[in-house]
Amino acid sequence: MQPYHRFRALRALLLASSLVAPAGAFAQAQDESAAPEAAPASEEGEIIVTARYRNESVLDVPVAITAISGDSLNDRQLHNIQDISTTVPTVEFRTGASNKDRTIFIRGVGTITTSPGVEPSVSTVLDGVVLTRPGQSTLDLGEVERIEVLRGPQGTLFGKNASAGVVNIVTRNPTDELQAFGEVGATTDEEYRVKAGVSGAIIPGTLKALIGGLYTKFDGNARNIVTGDEVNGFRRYGARGKLLFTPAPNLSFTLIGDYLNSHDIVPTAIYERTSQTVYPTGVVNNSPALAGILAGLGVVASPTNRTAANNFNADVRDKNFGVSLTSELGLGEYQLTAITAWRKWLNRQHQDFDGIATLAVGFPQGEDFGDVDSRQFSQELRLTSPKGGLIDYVLGAYYLHADTDERYQRTITTLPGPVTTTGVANYGITNDNYALFGEANINFTERFRGIAGYRSVWDEIDFYHVRTSTNDPTNQGAINPALDRPGIRSYHNATGKLSERGDSYRLGLQLDLGERAQTYFTYSRGYKGPGYNVYFNMRSLNTTNSLAGPVVPLDEVPLKPETSKAFEFGIKGNTADRSFSYSLAAFRTDFDDYQANFADTVQGLQVTRLINAGSVRAQGIEGDFTLRPTRGFTIDIAAAYTDAEVREFNCPVGAPTSCNINGEPLPFAPKFKLYSNAAYRFAVSGDLQLELQSDISFRTETQYNLSATAHTIQPAYAIWNASIALLSTPGDWQARLFVKNIANESYSSFLQNGSAAGSTRFVPRDDKRYAGLLLRKDF
């Protein structure tokens, strides 16, 4: 850790610790006068979650889980999963210029790919519906009841793509009484946010509804020096409606529809440096040519640079919408649940491939256009038994049909010449997923039980890929590798199909330690299905053995399923007066046939291929603690130590010797991460309360690249936030003034190689200090 960054991180930690204000965002119950509760509470004040498809206290669930309430999300300005990753130590988020490049990591494991033929390792579930593409999970959350983050393999119940964990989003339900709310927010750097909604009974006791909408806009916190525009901003608007119909006491239907329209203006390249450090030699390759080009454009590369020099403002337009129907039937003490859902995701991107507004030898210019059309239909059926007796269980069946069609066009201009080449690829994936699953508790005694869960999965996947290039007008590229050019691959026409069956399971023991604590041990097998690396540069000219060996179309060979074996030991509980709550978990997960992106060399050119990278391991300790030293004062502390590394890497054929990365850390896996959040709420008059709140997040250095390059490491940093709020005692209005990044700490949310040289950074929303005001009124 560099001295400068060490000093700033330490200073922020000391300043935050000196405040009497670190808020109850985590899944621990609170006093009624304290900060908003993390999730719905039972009559006894315990937090209720649905991590096992039944309402349970968070203390009873033998899973490492964090639950964050919608109120806390709203008060702390956490509007998407990227924001949430700052508050949950074992969660990380990989950003990118486009939604399709972004993904979630839990305990150091996630899947980085733009291919529609591979599923993510972390499953995002919205009101019981699995979102199949990573880009769908970047949605603005709007009004939600809570978010549950389940760590480790969750395949037995949530299935599909949950080999590393689940982010379960539960939206608000309609109310019986007529209620409405309105909310406005604004910041000093001109971000504006408006939300409003209404809820109530249409037919008392039978039909009730909720509808809410949002609009938010931010011009950005970076600048494109070529166009003169502010960039790195967004504009989003959308709505969600819920209709709950209860024709009989034991029968209900919930119809949900949602729509979100997003327009992100994220620069393709903001240069952090003009050199690259070679792994493992540590040799620094400086690029005077890149430094000269940037200087001529008026850009200075640095870790705090917020200036881009793109030919145009790269942007992404995104539509994310769907509808679901949840039917619930009570069969005596049993519950039958069916969820029928359809969703669509449309993504349109326009990217500056090279990110430099100067054409020079060795620095080609490129312009990309991409279109994604993804549809999914799913049907789930579950039977939940009553609790008690020798065995209680959840049994179910699941079906998913998903289609994704993409078109990607890249135009490259190079010197000498200039020579301009355009390549167009049309490709797609169809995926049918079938599963039978169940999980049961075997109650040996009232306090001691066994846990057994199993899921059997069938995947059927087929793809098509057709690419043409103006550099190859006679379509000879399939037999003439000399026609390949950097960034543009010649003609390729391929199809493929596979069918595979896999298994997930969980076994464990759980022991209640008195009335208010429990301990558990589980062993789980995670499974993520096979796939194809279908993307623009998909190619068929790679050799599997020596140069004299046969030519084999490696990219048309399916990726093997990714499997994991996980051990977890946990203990959780609280005191009788709930003044102290705790949750501790120790874990180890070994992944085989890990699906990952890695740099490869094909005919002397650097490319990126999604491969079965070998075996990796993640192990560590997590802890969540809540203290309530006095009424109205709540302190939450969450910390994680994660040791995630490559155990045995499979070097692609022809790759450089630097691919020997055994023992190197996995990307997006800081060794240590801390989040502390506290609030003190007290009465200032008969009907007014004041809340003082502060939070801090800290992490050690983070590698962003599986290739272990030194120039893609983000040094350690800490971010300190605070707010002060005036609230009515009934809780029907609040005015909150907040400050983000008080210490003005600059950091990069992602670092990557430049297209030709150097490295570029992505600028996070809170890269510099800003303040804001939030006003909310409930009617």
Side-chain angles (χ1 to χ4, degrees):
M1 183 175 177
Q2 299 174 3
Y4 174 74
H5 290 280
R6 185 186 299 116
F7 170 74
R8 298 197 69 178
L10 180 60
R11 182 185 65 179
L13 279 168
L14 290 173
L15 285 171
S17 300
S18 68
L19 287 183
V20 189
F26 292 93
Q28 310 293 342
Q30 303 170 6
D31 294 333
E32 293 179 0
S33 61
E37 288 185 333
S42 70
E43 294 180 359
E44 297 180 354
E46 304 293 356
I47 303 306
I48 301 302
V49 294
T50 54
R52 296 197 295 177
Y53 291 145
R54 62 169 83 236
N55 291 332
E56 295 178 294
S57 164
V58 70
L59 296 178
D60 293 336
V61 180
V63 173
I65 178 174
T66 297
I68 311 174
S69 76
D71 289 337
S72 290
L73 292 168
N74 200 63
D75 291 347
R76 312 304 172 234
Q77 296 81 49
L78 306 176
H79 304 309
N80 52 54
I81 294 176
Q82 183 173 2
D83 294 339
I84 292 169
S85 68
T86 66
T87 70
V88 182
T90 48
V91 177
E92 286 290 309
F93 188 89
R94 193 263 199 187
T95 189
S98 169
N99 302 42
K100 63 183 286 189
D101 302 323
R102 302 167 190 168
T103 194
I104 306 167
F105 291 73
I106 291 182
R107 291 176 173 172
V109 176
T111 303
I112 303 172
T113 179
T114 61
S115 171
V118 180
E119 40 185 57
S121 300
V122 177
S123 183
T124 303
V125 181
L126 177 63
D127 286 323
V129 180
V130 174
L131 306 182
T132 57
R133 304 302 311 140
Q136 293 173 284
S137 64
T138 61
L139 78 171
D140 193 295
L141 297 171
E143 285 289 291
V144 300
E145 183 65 38
R146 68 185 178 279
I147 291 182
E148 302 169 4
V149 179
L150 287 68
R151 283 103 72 180
Q154 306 296 328
T156 55
L157 291 180
F158 286 91
K160 187 55 184 158
N161 50 345
S163 58
V166 170
V167 177
N168 185 31
I169 304 170
V170 182
T171 65
R172 293 195 188 277
N173 279 324
T175 56
D176 293 312
E177 302 80 17
L178 180 62
Q179 297 180 2
F181 76 91
E183 176 184 304
V184 295
T187 67
T188 53
D189 55 356
E190 299 184 350
E191 178 183 352
Y192 303 100
R193 186 175 181 85
V194 178
K195 290 199 302 183
V198 62
S199 176
I202 299 174
I203 304 174
T206 302
L207 183 65
K208 52 186 177 181
L210 177 151
I211 186 167
L214 69 90
Y215 175 85
T216 182
K217 184 178 185 295
F218 176 53
D219 287 337
N221 57 1
R223 182 170 173 262
N224 186 345
I225 201 170
V226 175
T227 65
D229 297 325
E230 295 296 314
V231 293
N232 208 39
F234 52 81
R235 186 269 304 133
R236 300 170 188 145
Y237 62 86
R240 178 182 292 120
K242 250 186 180 182
L243 196 65
L244 178 57
F245 178 49
T246 310
N250 63 338
L251 179 64
S252 67
F253 301 94
T254 304
L255 181 66
I256 308 174
D258 65 271
Y259 173 86
L260 182 68
N261 185 301
S262 302
H263 182 201
D264 291 3
I265 303 175
V266 179
T268 307
I270 294 180
Y271 276 87
E272 189 260 353
R273 67 180 69 194
T274 57
S275 64
Q276 294 182 357
T277 304
V278 179
Y279 175 83
T281 63
V283 173
V284 179
N285 289 333
N286 292 307
S287 177
L290 175 60
I293 290 172
L294 294 178
L297 292 167
V299 175
V300 178
S302 77
T304 60
N305 178 29
R306 301 186 188 98
T307 302
N310 300 164
N311 283 307
F312 52 87
N313 295 333
D315 75 322
V316 180
R317 299 176 186 272
D318 194 272
K319 297 178 182 178
N320 193 345
F321 53 96
V323 62
S324 67
L325 175 66
T326 300
S327 307
E328 295 182 291
L329 174 64
L331 301 172
E333 293 183 300
Y334 291 81
Q335 183 81 15
L336 186 65
T337 303
I339 303 177
T340 307
W342 173 88
R343 296 200 65 85
K344 189 165 187 175
W345 178 49
L346 301 174
N347 183 275
R348 308 286 181 261
Q349 60 175 303
H350 182 201
Q351 302 292 332
D352 188 342
F353 170 74
D354 58 291
I356 305 175
T358 298
L359 178 62
V361 175
F363 293 87
Q365 286 199 335
E367 184 175 12
D368 291 358
F369 292 90
D371 297 299
V372 179
D373 184 346
S374 181
R375 296 88 60 198
Q376 67 176 80
F377 169 82
S378 60
Q379 178 66 60
E380 184 166 357
L381 185 66
R382 297 195 303 263
L383 178 66
T384 305
S385 76
K387 294 197 71 172
L390 177 61
I391 299 177
D392 55 73
Y393 57 84
V394 175
L395 298 175
Y398 179 80
Y399 169 70
L400 170 78
H401 176 82
D403 290 296
T404 299
D405 296 296
E406 297 196 24
R407 180 187 186 275
Y408 206 87
Q409 174 181 308
R410 173 169 292 168
T411 299
I412 296 288
T413 302
T414 59
L415 291 178
V419 177
T420 299
T421 306
T422 298
V424 177
N426 289 277
Y427 50 94
I429 282 280
T430 298
N431 180 14
D432 286 289
N433 178 270
Y434 310 84
L436 297 173
F437 63 90
E439 187 165 292
N441 291 323
I442 302 96
N443 301 298
F444 302 122
T445 69
E446 186 178 349
R447 296 183 180 275
F448 180 53
R449 64 198 62 87
I451 305 161
Y454 176 74
R455 189 181 193 98
S456 183
V457 178
W458 293 265
D459 281 298
E460 294 179 358
I461 304 173
D462 62 80
F463 82 91
Y464 70 92
H465 186 279
V466 179
R467 183 186 57 250
T468 58
S469 169
T470 58
N471 190 55
D472 186 20
T474 58
N475 292 343
Q476 296 299 307
I479 59 173
N480 186 358
L483 292 177
D484 282 351
R485 295 175 55 83
I488 298 291
R489 321 306 292 175
S490 52
Y491 176 73
H492 181 235
N493 186 354
T495 60
K497 188 172 184 178
L498 65 87
S499 179
E500 186 100 16
R501 198 194 69 79
D503 304 284
S504 299
Y505 54 82
R506 187 201 310 267
L507 298 171
L509 295 172
Q510 182 181 15
L511 174 66
D512 295 341
L513 304 174
E515 295 296 328
R516 311 203 62 83
Q518 62 117 329
T519 185
Y520 65 91
F521 173 81
T522 57
Y523 168 73
S524 304
R525 182 184 193 267
Y527 176 86
K528 187 177 75 170
Y532 284 104
N533 188 25
V534 186
Y535 71 128
F536 173 72
N537 272 347
M538 189 176 182
R539 56 202 180 278
S540 59
L541 294 171
N542 300 321
T543 57
T544 57
N545 299 306
S546 66
L547 294 176
V551 174
V552 178
L554 287 183
D555 275 354
E556 298 168 27
V557 174
L559 274 79
K560 298 177 183 177
E562 177 183 287
T563 61
S564 60
K565 298 177 181 178
F567 299 88
E568 181 172 307
F569 169 78
I571 183 170
K572 56 177 67 175
N574 61 17
T575 57
D577 61 357
R578 299 193 297 118
S579 61
F580 177 60
S581 303
Y582 59 91
S583 176
L584 283 167
F587 66 92
R588 172 168 173 155
T589 308
D590 293 287
F591 289 82
D592 291 318
D593 292 314
Y594 177 57
Q595 298 172 357
N597 262 334
F598 194 78
D600 194 0
T601 301
V602 177
Q603 296 156 0
L605 299 175
Q606 281 284 320
V607 296
T608 299
R609 183 197 297 164
L610 189 73
I611 60 173
N612 286 118
S615 62
V616 301
R617 181 201 67 203
Q619 60 185 3
I621 300 175
E622 308 160 347
D624 295 278
F625 309 92
T626 296
L627 296 89
R628 303 174 187 86
T630 186
R631 183 174 178 83
F633 185 27
T634 303
I635 302 173
D636 291 310
I637 300 172
Y641 171 80
T642 305
D643 177 21
E645 66 175 26
V646 177
R647 297 184 65 200
E648 186 176 351
F649 188 75
N650 295 329
C651 292
V653 175
T657 57
S658 60
C659 79
N660 182 11
I661 57 171
N662 292 352
E664 293 297 323
L666 292 179
F668 297 90
K671 285 278 188 182
F672 180 74
K673 193 174 172 184
L674 168 74
Y675 179 72
S676 177
N677 186 17
Y680 181 40
R681 186 177 295 183
F682 55 92
V684 294
S685 71
D687 56 359
L688 287 179
Q689 289 184 322
L690 190 69
E691 182 187 89
L692 304 176
Q693 179 272 335
S694 179
D695 63 79
I696 187 167
S697 59
F698 169 79
R699 71 185 66 197
T700 53
E701 67 176 27
T702 305
Q703 172 63 267
Y704 288 136
N705 192 343
L706 183 62
S707 300
T709 47
H711 58 275
T712 54
I713 295 176
Q714 166 61 48
Y717 66 91
I719 300 297
W720 174 32
N721 310 310
S723 69
I724 181 170
L726 190 64
L727 310 96
S728 67
T729 299
D732 59 353
W733 66 266
Q734 71 163 286
R736 183 178 298 272
L737 179 67
F738 60 88
V739 182
K740 294 288 188 177
N741 195 357
I742 296 172
N744 206 28
E745 179 86 359
S746 180
Y747 68 100
S748 298
S749 54
F750 182 45
L751 294 165
Q752 63 180 359
N753 289 342
S755 60
S759 66
T760 62
R761 68 185 294 250
F762 281 85
V763 179
R765 173 65 184 92
D766 59 352
D767 190 52
K768 58 183 178 180
R769 179 174 50 243
Y770 68 95
L773 177 65
L774 172 71
L775 302 174
R776 183 179 176 105
K777 171 65 176 174
D778 294 317
F779 303 93

